[in-house]
Amino acid sequence: MSAPIISLESLTNTTSSGQLLTTAKSGGCASSSCGSSSRPTDMDSATWEKIKDHPCFSEAAHHYFARMHVAVAPACNIQCNYCNRKYDCANESRPGVVSEKLTPDQALRKVIAVANEVPQLSVLGIAGPGDACYDWKKTRATFGRVAREIPDIKLCISTNGLALPEHVDELAELNISHVTITINMVDPAVGEKIYPWIFYGHRRYTGMEAAKILHERQMLGLEMLSKRGILTKINSVMIPGVNDQHLIEVNKWVKERGAFLHNVMPLISDPAHGTWFGQTGQRGPNALELKALQDRLEGGAKLMRHCRQCRADAVGLLGTDRGQEFTLDQIPFEPGYNSGKRHAYREVVARIRDDHLAAKNQAITTLASVSVRGSLHVAVATKGGGRINEHFGHAKEFQVYEASQTGIKFVGHRKVEPYCRGGWGEEATLGGIIAALEGIDIVLCAKIGDCPQKQLMEAGIRATEAFGYDYIETAISALYAAEYGLDLSKATA
Amino acid sequence: MAFKIVASQCTQCGACEFECPSDAIEFKGEKYVIDPNKCTECEGVFELQQCASVCPVPKTCVPA
Ligand code: SF4
Ligand code: SF4
Ligand code: SF4
């Protein structure tokens, strides 16, 4: 059986062309594993069912599925030093920032419009811009309405946890399968430096007292969710000198209480954003510090490394925000939901994923047969579908993989300014990209010009389009084998 | 006596609206406003004014 060469792009291109990627190469299908379920080996099937379409909870799913956030919950019951709720700018992309606050009815309109246009849509989240559990009436109204129209959409919320315990029963009734709690500390003395105040039980608390209450509510909420089998992801903001070392302790606590994933995110503290941390010169961690901490946490609660810290109104695959295409003034007043595109897309993905898994397994076998120990850091330009299918000049980010004899590990992403804007490469941008690719050995992309390729080479980074449209893992294993002198024809025979 | 909202500072988060025990806060036109006839300054119900306690922006819910 040959690999299905179905272009995801033909299904997902909503604008016009629908042109097939005729250049797409087969990802290599090990016939023995064709048709197998593409579930990773380290997970039970019930859990896999819950996360396989959720781009934030599953690294494998984020190649295929998209989420959208609706900003219906602007009210918040705590203040964080990394957040400035006054700030709102259409050019900024980060949590807490939102351009268009919606009523539950407007949110329903928007979800239907996006579901009609973006077949990858699988998850609807409410992540503020305030707190989804505190602003509960609007959260509940939105979920209720959307679930009635689009029953197969997954629902999830993000919360700071303070008002979580009193809503756990309703969350379960609403069939909310995924909850993210932001937990930055388990020691109130650390919390005091992050939260100036909380509003709880009709009064404002400050200092240690505030942090202690928040901590207790967070732990209680997490335990209650775990008991009901609702999957939880813990987000922690890494703040150098404040809670960076402490997050190791946080990881232990949340793991003990049943957290499914732990996602450590870097503090964003540009002074221009007007946050307390930004104004007081608190810096965020750099990419290497973040990775070092994540490496130390490995072995605790499962780590998430593909988070994009998206806006509270983000739409689309992680790494691409199509929110600006779906502002209220651009969507029909009463869009009727048409499930056609989403269903067709899911069918194709189900087939492609088996093929992708087979390719992955083949790649791992190849790596295991290399006798030399060494590792390779690879940056990939991709538009999704698990393939190397983005041009170097168009990439807004590179996904970073580490290959070693034990396998291929996704370790994160590096954001960049796209090199080509309107077809012209710019020198300054290339410098920025080279800096962002520090520590990378090889860049894989669908296309790259001679000039940027040469300049990358001068900076010690190889770039190649030789594996264009291959599966990411297939390409990396071939590279690794070549690097460490293995004759592939023998290994795969 | 009543409280008022300094509209130029308000983020329109709406937290004060649902915390007010007197149902005195409403989104009117383009902004949140406090009806001075309804506002009781939370007297007899809460120790401190709820709108001012929950508001994320200092000096936005203030005595009129
Ligand atoms: S903020 Fe992170 S967790 Fe939330 S949707 Fe975006 S990527 Fe997923
Ligand atoms: S002071 Fe109390 S009663 Fe008056 S508007 Fe504020 S919350 Fe309402
Ligand atoms: S709580 Fe403050 S910022 Fe929020 S709507 Fe009321 S006055 Fe405006």
Side-chain angles (χ1 to χ4, degrees):
Chain A
M1 180 181 146
S2 71
I5 310 177
I6 302 169
S7 163
L8 284 175
E9 220 161 296
S10 64
L11 283 162
T12 56
N13 234 338
T14 56
T15 35
S16 59
S17 59
Q19 142 212 59
L20 280 166
L21 274 179
T22 39
T23 33
K25 294 183 209 158
S26 139
C29 171
S31 51
S32 58
S33 46
C34 254
S36 70
S37 119
S38 45
R39 165 165 63 95
T41 43
D42 60 348
M43 199 176 288
D44 65 88
S45 58
T47 309
W48 174 241
E49 274 309 310
K50 282 192 195 154
I51 67 160
K52 72 183 204 305
D53 301 344
H54 197 308
C56 302
F57 276 73
S58 153
E59 197 262 308
H62 101 283
H63 291 293
Y64 298 106
F65 288 103
R67 51 72 181 104
M68 76 179 284
H69 289 159
V70 284
V72 293
C76 193
N77 49 359
I78 71 173
Q79 181 65 51
C80 306
N81 278 332
Y82 48 75
C83 175
N84 172 5
R85 279 176 271 147
K86 255 197 112 139
Y87 195 86
D88 177 349
C89 163
N91 299 316
E92 272 302 321
S93 200
R94 65 198 162 81
V97 174
V98 65
S99 302
E100 199 176 47
K101 287 169 200 156
L102 305 171
T103 65
D105 282 321
Q106 290 169 329
L108 175 65
R109 249 174 81 197
K110 182 162 169 168
V111 176
I112 291 176
V114 172
N116 288 347
E117 287 295 309
V118 181
Q120 300 105 320
L121 182 70
S122 65
V123 175
L124 169 67
I126 298 182
D131 186 79
C133 280
Y134 177 57
D135 215 340
W136 178 247
K137 275 194 197 143
K138 292 185 208 137
T139 299
R140 188 184 48 203
T142 305
F143 280 151
R145 275 163 228 195
V146 171
R148 225 173 298 141
E149 295 290 327
I150 312 179
D152 70 338
I153 201 163
K154 283 203 160 57
L155 305 174
C156 77
I157 64 162
S158 278
T159 174
N160 60 44
L162 184 57
L164 172 62
E166 54 262 43
H167 297 302
V168 170
D169 286 334
E170 275 178 287
L171 286 171
E173 278 163 35
L174 280 165
N175 233 338
I176 290 168
S177 45
H178 305 77
V179 174
T180 297
I181 316 173
T182 302
I183 300 181
N184 296 319
M185 53 88 198
V186 292
D187 175 358
V190 175
E192 198 183 18
K193 296 182 200 143
I194 305 172
Y195 307 102
W197 58 264
I198 68 166
F199 183 80
Y200 179 68
H202 297 291
R203 60 166 281 208
R204 190 182 273 217
Y205 292 84
T206 56
M208 283 285 266
E209 208 186 351
K212 191 164 169 285
I213 295 170
L214 179 61
H215 164 64
E216 282 163 6
R217 303 296 290 170
Q218 289 178 331
M219 294 302 128
L220 176 63
L222 173 57
E223 284 163 12
M224 291 172 75
L225 291 170
S226 298
K227 220 178 266 164
R228 282 170 181 74
I230 297 175
L231 288 185
T232 50
K233 169 158 70 65
I234 308 304
N235 276 356
S236 297
V237 180
M238 176 181 179
I239 312 161
V242 174
N243 73 346
D244 46 348
Q245 297 309 310
H246 181 61
L247 288 180
I248 294 166
E249 187 68 14
V250 171
N251 185 267
K252 271 192 218 130
W253 280 63
V254 300
K255 191 192 177 191
E256 276 165 21
R257 285 161 185 77
F260 177 70
L261 265 182
H262 191 189
N263 172 27
V264 177
M265 312 182 293
L267 170 71
I268 303 173
S269 68
D270 186 332
H273 298 157
T275 63
W276 171 259
F277 279 145
Q279 282 166 342
T280 54
Q282 170 65 52
R283 72 174 182 93
N286 64 37
L288 294 179
E289 285 172 315
L290 179 68
K291 184 175 179 291
L293 177 65
Q294 288 175 332
D295 287 345
R296 284 184 64 190
L297 296 178
E298 206 75 74
K302 216 168 147 46
L303 277 189
M304 163 170 181
R305 299 205 188 220
H306 62 282
C307 180
R308 302 300 196 281
Q309 296 184 285
C310 38
R311 292 165 60 107
D313 60 359
V315 172
L317 289 172
L318 300 191
T320 46
D321 187 358
R322 300 180 53 184
Q324 297 308 313
E325 292 169 45
F326 296 100
T327 50
L328 282 182
D329 54 332
Q330 296 176 82
I331 60 180
F333 197 67
E334 275 190 354
Y337 174 50
N338 177 344
S339 63
K341 268 194 187 169
R342 288 181 69 236
H343 281 140
Y345 180 79
R346 276 161 186 259
E347 263 167 42
V348 172
V349 167
R351 284 157 64 192
I352 287 183
R353 281 182 122 175
D354 283 341
D355 181 55
H356 187 182
L357 184 80
K360 256 189 197 170
N361 289 341
Q362 176 72 61
I364 291 166
T365 317
T366 306
L367 288 184
S369 61
V370 176
S371 55
V372 189
R373 273 164 213 277
S375 68
L376 201 61
H377 290 86
V378 185
V380 180
T382 173
K383 283 199 268 204
R387 291 184 191 261
I388 302 158
N389 52 7
E390 179 66 295
H391 292 202
F392 176 79
H394 298 167
K396 292 199 186 90
E397 62 170 36
F398 291 90
Q399 303 203 356
V400 178
Y401 292 81
E402 193 178 322
S404 69
Q405 218 196 354
T406 49
I408 298 169
K409 205 166 72 177
F410 176 82
V411 291
H413 63 276
R414 309 263 179 100
K415 282 198 180 109
V416 295
E417 271 298 311
Y419 173 63
C420 279
R421 286 201 185 271
W424 300 97
E426 279 178 46
E427 291 314 308
T429 344
L430 188 57
I433 297 175
I434 290 174
L437 292 175
E438 191 195 338
I440 299 295
D441 300 306
I442 301 175
V443 176
L444 299 178
C445 49
K447 268 254 164 316
I448 181 167
D450 291 339
C451 177
Q453 196 170 19
K454 216 176 117 222
Q455 289 200 36
L456 280 167
M457 189 56 119
E458 279 161 16
I461 304 167
R462 282 171 283 163
T464 174
E465 54 181 48
F467 297 95
Y469 304 104
D470 271 350
Y471 278 124
I472 294 169
E473 293 85 359
T474 307
I476 294 178
S477 71
L479 268 175
Y480 188 84
E483 200 79 355
Y484 293 101
L486 178 89
D487 186 352
L488 267 190
S489 58
K490 273 185 216 145
T492 52
Chain B
M1 288 297 284
F3 264 53
K4 67 169 184 193
I5 291 170
V6 180
S8 61
Q9 303 218 67
C10 171
T11 69
Q12 305 194 341
C13 70
C16 55
E17 183 192 14
F18 65 76
E19 292 295 351
C20 174
S22 319
D23 205 11
I25 305 180
E26 221 188 322
F27 193 67
K28 263 203 179 142
E30 289 291 287
K31 55 186 188 203
Y32 279 98
V33 286
I34 295 177
D35 179 345
N37 298 318
K38 286 187 175 173
C39 173
T40 60
E41 293 203 353
C42 296
E43 235 186 272
V45 192
F46 297 112
E47 209 177 305
L48 281 170
Q49 290 79 18
Q50 295 296 287
C51 53
S53 307
V54 74
C55 182
V57 194
K59 301 202 188 86
T60 298
C61 298
V62 291

